[in-house]
Amino acid sequence: MTNKNMIDLQTLVEETGAESGLSFNIDGILNESVNLEYDGNVAAMIGMILKMCLEMSEDVNNGDLKQVMIKNNDGIVVASKNQDDNCIALLSKDLSKMGLLLRRMDSVFNN
């Protein structure tokens, strides 16, 4: 990420109450993580999910992919990407924070 696109990941995690977060590119190359074990593996997996969803979105002519949400019984992952394929993901075990995470992540890259 260039300096003008830098996100204060620690502040983003604190503002949303997420347990952890990471910044990476769509190829899964980790830039930074907060409170996350195996952060390189997680960045690679979420990057692959974003890339696959981006390709699917293009194949069905639904426009440019901006955000992916993964919800399971024990938590939520919200990942966003910008036009330069820089990505941010937040992870929370508190499903009641879903609305806050989605709203805040929707504006993280000002898109």
Side-chain angles (χ1 to χ4, degrees), residues 73-97:
N73 291 336
D74 296 321
I76 183 171
V77 176
V78 178
S80 294
K81 68 171 248 1
N82 69 6
Q83 67 277 3
D84 297 324
D85 289 339
N86 297 311
C87 307
I88 298 287
L90 294 177
L91 297 84
S92 177
K93 293 181 180 178
D94 185 351
L95 291 175
S96 70
K97 294 180 181 175

Side-chain angles (χ1 to χ4, degrees), residues 15-80:
E15 284 176 354
T16 59
E19 276 78 29
S20 55
L22 60 160
S23 71
F24 53 99
N25 69 23
I26 200 156
D27 293 321
I29 307 299
L30 181 68
N31 295 324
E32 178 185 9
S33 71
V34 174
N35 302 329
L36 190 61
E37 192 173 1
Y38 308 114
D39 50 3
N41 290 343
V42 174
M45 288 185 278
I46 297 174
M48 181 56 68
I49 291 167
L50 282 167
K51 192 177 277 192
M52 291 174 66
C53 290
L54 174 64
E55 291 173 5
M56 181 206 62
S57 185
E58 290 170 353
D59 286 349
V60 297
N61 296 319
N62 278 348
D64 219 12
L65 178 76
K66 302 271 187 220
Q67 190 174 73
V68 171
M69 180 190 72
I70 303 166
K71 178 180 171 260
N72 60 30
N73 291 336
D74 296 321
I76 183 171
V77 176
V78 178
S80 294

